[in-house]
Amino acid sequence: AQSVTQLGSHVSVSEGALVLLRCNYSSSVPPYLFWYVQYPNQGLQLLLKYTSAATLVKGINGFEAEFKKSETSFHLTKPSAHMSDAAEYFCAVSDHRDDKIIFGKGTRLHILP
Amino acid sequence: EPEVTQTPSHQVTQMGQEVILRCVPISNHLYFYWYRQILGQKVEFLVSFYNNEISEKSEIFDDQFSVERPDGSNFTLKIRSTKLEDSAMYFCASSVTSGNEQFFGPGTRLTVL
């Protein structure tokens, strides 16, 4: 069975500082991995995805994530936080053999001025 | 840019009543999904739908739930007799093919009183 663990339900960083949101996954088959962002009162927007190509994946809004098989991790980073990055971020995994996406519990990112 | 739309944005109903949540997937997409997010919890897969039949469903998707594609554009989720614990945000998603990126709608917040 697949699962995702996101460390930290809330993360606060200062504007301009590095953003690091942690995600570890469990999967019995090579996974597809995703990061989604949810702004208040909006749906889920795909930030980036890993589908077994390059291990460093670049997404929208300056975010990137690195797939590390040895650590079963897929942490999300952004070099310099912006106030508009304040949102909830979900790490997710899927088995490409079926359709469902398994989500983590989410991490709410707060940006301090 | 094409997007998934959902109506209504907020539905309030009495326990035991039937509700139908509506979704209009992206027009050339063939795979459709429902997820839900109970307040403060993670997003959970409910059901996937392809070629006018359910591809996969979770344990949550019991006999009280049903899905339908009544015409060429709408995709609906029906809850036959709502319970208090059905209160959640329900997200519709669609994708071009299985295993591809799923595009999420903005969600319908269902409140069962």
mmCIF file of all heavy atoms in Angstrom, chain A residues 6-26:
data_model
loop_
_atom_site.group_PDB
_atom_site.id
_atom_site.type_symbol
_atom_site.label_atom_id
_atom_site.label_comp_id
_atom_site.label_asym_id
_atom_site.label_seq_id
_atom_site.Cartn_x
_atom_site.Cartn_y
_atom_site.Cartn_z
ATOM 1 N N GLN A 6 3.938 13.802 5.697
ATOM 2 C CA GLN A 6 4.464 15.154 5.645
ATOM 3 C C GLN A 6 4.833 15.581 7.054
ATOM 4 O O GLN A 6 3.992 15.540 7.965
ATOM 5 C CB GLN A 6 3.420 16.119 5.057
ATOM 6 C CG GLN A 6 3.182 15.880 3.583
ATOM 7 C CD GLN A 6 2.224 16.898 2.974
ATOM 8 O OE1 GLN A 6 1.146 16.550 2.505
ATOM 9 N NE2 GLN A 6 2.618 18.164 2.976
ATOM 10 N N LEU A 7 6.077 15.964 7.239
ATOM 11 C CA LEU A 7 6.551 16.365 8.554
ATOM 12 C C LEU A 7 6.220 17.830 8.789
ATOM 13 O O LEU A 7 6.656 18.698 8.046
ATOM 14 C CB LEU A 7 8.058 16.132 8.658
ATOM 15 C CG LEU A 7 8.482 14.664 8.591
ATOM 16 C CD1 LEU A 7 9.983 14.540 8.603
ATOM 17 C CD2 LEU A 7 7.876 13.883 9.745
ATOM 18 N N GLY A 8 5.469 18.092 9.838
ATOM 19 C CA GLY A 8 5.112 19.465 10.173
ATOM 20 C C GLY A 8 3.801 19.862 9.545
ATOM 21 O O GLY A 8 3.705 20.008 8.325
ATOM 22 N N SER A 9 2.784 20.051 10.368
ATOM 23 C CA SER A 9 1.503 20.505 9.834
ATOM 24 C C SER A 9 1.531 22.004 9.566
ATOM 25 O O SER A 9 0.736 22.503 8.771
ATOM 26 C CB SER A 9 0.372 20.164 10.802
ATOM 27 O OG SER A 9 0.616 20.742 12.067
ATOM 28 N N HIS A 10 2.431 22.711 10.249
ATOM 29 C CA HIS A 10 2.598 24.147 10.027
ATOM 30 C C HIS A 10 4.085 24.458 9.939
ATOM 31 O O HIS A 10 4.867 23.982 10.756
ATOM 32 C CB HIS A 10 1.984 24.951 11.179
ATOM 33 C CG HIS A 10 0.489 24.871 11.234
ATOM 34 N ND1 HIS A 10 -0.335 25.820 10.652
ATOM 35 C CD2 HIS A 10 -0.337 23.956 11.797
ATOM 36 C CE1 HIS A 10 -1.599 25.490 10.861
ATOM 37 N NE2 HIS A 10 -1.633 24.358 11.551
ATOM 38 N N VAL A 11 4.434 25.265 8.947
ATOM 39 C CA VAL A 11 5.814 25.728 8.795
ATOM 40 C C VAL A 11 5.776 27.241 8.577
ATOM 41 O O VAL A 11 4.982 27.724 7.766
ATOM 42 C CB VAL A 11 6.512 25.048 7.601
ATOM 43 C CG1 VAL A 11 7.837 25.709 7.293
ATOM 44 C CG2 VAL A 11 6.706 23.562 7.875
ATOM 45 N N SER A 12 6.617 27.947 9.320
ATOM 46 C CA SER A 12 6.703 29.407 9.157
ATOM 47 C C SER A 12 8.100 29.780 8.706
ATOM 48 O O SER A 12 9.084 29.307 9.280
ATOM 49 C CB SER A 12 6.399 30.109 10.484
ATOM 50 O OG SER A 12 5.065 29.881 10.887
ATOM 51 N N VAL A 13 8.174 30.613 7.682
ATOM 52 C CA VAL A 13 9.462 31.122 7.211
ATOM 53 C C VAL A 13 9.323 32.616 6.961
ATOM 54 O O VAL A 13 8.231 33.118 6.677
ATOM 55 C CB VAL A 13 9.948 30.415 5.929
ATOM 56 C CG1 VAL A 13 10.094 28.922 6.153
ATOM 57 C CG2 VAL A 13 9.036 30.702 4.761
ATOM 58 N N SER A 14 10.430 33.304 7.050
ATOM 59 C CA SER A 14 10.435 34.734 6.774
ATOM 60 C C SER A 14 10.454 34.964 5.267
ATOM 61 O O SER A 14 10.986 34.145 4.508
ATOM 62 C CB SER A 14 11.656 35.394 7.406
ATOM 63 O OG SER A 14 11.625 35.256 8.812
ATOM 64 N N GLU A 15 9.857 36.074 4.860
ATOM 65 C CA GLU A 15 9.895 36.440 3.450
ATOM 66 C C GLU A 15 11.351 36.531 2.996
ATOM 67 O O GLU A 15 12.197 37.127 3.681
ATOM 68 C CB GLU A 15 9.192 37.779 3.247
ATOM 69 C CG GLU A 15 8.954 38.135 1.788
ATOM 70 C CD GLU A 15 8.133 39.400 1.619
ATOM 71 O OE1 GLU A 15 8.036 40.183 2.598
ATOM 72 O OE2 GLU A 15 7.591 39.612 0.528
ATOM 73 N N GLY A 16 11.668 35.890 1.869
ATOM 74 C CA GLY A 16 13.035 35.895 1.361
ATOM 75 C C GLY A 16 13.867 34.703 1.820
ATOM 76 O O GLY A 16 14.938 34.446 1.269
ATOM 77 N N ALA A 17 13.379 33.970 2.804
ATOM 78 C CA ALA A 17 14.120 32.820 3.316
ATOM 79 C C ALA A 17 13.801 31.566 2.508
ATOM 80 O O ALA A 17 12.837 31.515 1.742
ATOM 81 C CB ALA A 17 13.778 32.602 4.788
ATOM 82 N N LEU A 18 14.607 30.536 2.743
ATOM 83 C CA LEU A 18 14.421 29.255 2.066
ATOM 84 C C LEU A 18 13.159 28.560 2.582
ATOM 85 O O LEU A 18 12.913 28.524 3.787
ATOM 86 C CB LEU A 18 15.632 28.361 2.328
ATOM 87 C CG LEU A 18 15.529 26.899 1.887
ATOM 88 C CD1 LEU A 18 15.592 26.789 0.364
ATOM 89 C CD2 LEU A 18 16.630 26.061 2.526
ATOM 90 N N VAL A 19 12.405 28.008 1.656
ATOM 91 C CA VAL A 19 11.261 27.181 2.011
ATOM 92 C C VAL A 19 11.654 25.717 1.852
ATOM 93 O O VAL A 19 12.198 25.324 0.816
ATOM 94 C CB VAL A 19 10.041 27.480 1.109
ATOM 95 C CG1 VAL A 19 8.899 26.506 1.417
ATOM 96 C CG2 VAL A 19 9.584 28.918 1.267
ATOM 97 N N LEU A 20 11.401 24.916 2.891
ATOM 98 C CA LEU A 20 11.650 23.475 2.820
ATOM 99 C C LEU A 20 10.461 22.773 3.450
ATOM 100 O O LEU A 20 10.209 22.910 4.646
ATOM 101 C CB LEU A 20 12.926 23.097 3.560
ATOM 102 C CG LEU A 20 13.181 21.594 3.757
ATOM 103 C CD1 LEU A 20 13.285 20.868 2.416
ATOM 104 C CD2 LEU A 20 14.434 21.352 4.596
ATOM 105 N N LEU A 21 9.717 22.054 2.639
ATOM 106 C CA LEU A 21 8.586 21.262 3.129
ATOM 107 C C LEU A 21 8.930 19.796 2.894
ATOM 108 O O LEU A 21 9.227 19.399 1.783
ATOM 109 C CB LEU A 21 7.299 21.640 2.396
ATOM 110 C CG LEU A 21 6.900 23.117 2.463
ATOM 111 C CD1 LEU A 21 5.571 23.330 1.751
ATOM 112 C CD2 LEU A 21 6.826 23.610 3.884
ATOM 113 N N ARG A 22 8.836 19.016 3.963
ATOM 114 C CA ARG A 22 9.323 17.639 3.915
ATOM 115 C C ARG A 22 8.212 16.642 3.591
ATOM 116 O O ARG A 22 7.080 16.773 4.082
ATOM 117 C CB ARG A 22 9.972 17.266 5.241
ATOM 118 C CG ARG A 22 11.175 18.119 5.579
ATOM 119 C CD ARG A 22 11.781 17.733 6.920
ATOM 120 N NE ARG A 22 12.839 18.645 7.307
ATOM 121 C CZ ARG A 22 14.105 18.527 6.928
ATOM 122 N NH1 ARG A 22 14.473 17.515 6.160
ATOM 123 N NH2 ARG A 22 15.006 19.404 7.320
ATOM 124 N N CYS A 23 8.596 15.650 2.792
ATOM 125 C CA CYS A 23 7.653 14.598 2.411
ATOM 126 C C CYS A 23 8.414 13.294 2.272
ATOM 127 O O CYS A 23 9.439 13.227 1.592
ATOM 128 C CB CYS A 23 6.974 14.948 1.093
ATOM 129 S SG CYS A 23 5.966 13.620 0.396
ATOM 130 N N ASN A 24 7.913 12.265 2.927
ATOM 131 C CA ASN A 24 8.426 10.914 2.735
ATOM 132 C C ASN A 24 7.294 10.019 2.261
ATOM 133 O O ASN A 24 6.148 10.183 2.669
ATOM 134 C CB ASN A 24 9.025 10.380 4.042
ATOM 135 C CG ASN A 24 10.319 11.063 4.392
ATOM 136 O OD1 ASN A 24 10.330 12.103 5.057
ATOM 137 N ND2 ASN A 24 11.418 10.514 3.922
ATOM 138 N N TYR A 25 7.619 9.086 1.413
ATOM 139 C CA TYR A 25 6.591 8.239 0.837
ATOM 140 C C TYR A 25 6.912 6.773 1.082
ATOM 141 O O TYR A 25 8.044 6.403 1.400
ATOM 142 C CB TYR A 25 6.472 8.508 -0.665
ATOM 143 C CG TYR A 25 7.668 7.998 -1.431
ATOM 144 C CD1 TYR A 25 7.692 6.707 -1.957
ATOM 145 C CD2 TYR A 25 8.796 8.794 -1.614
ATOM 146 C CE1 TYR A 25 8.799 6.227 -2.631
ATOM 147 C CE2 TYR A 25 9.906 8.330 -2.281
ATOM 148 C CZ TYR A 25 9.906 7.045 -2.785
ATOM 149 O OH TYR A 25 11.011 6.570 -3.430
ATOM 150 N N SER A 26 5.896 5.974 0.914
ATOM 151 C CA SER A 26 6.045 4.532 0.942
ATOM 152 C C SER A 26 5.314 3.967 -0.255
ATOM 153 O O SER A 26 4.146 4.305 -0.489
ATOM 154 C CB SER A 26 5.457 3.975 2.250
ATOM 155 O OG SER A 26 5.421 2.570 2.222
#
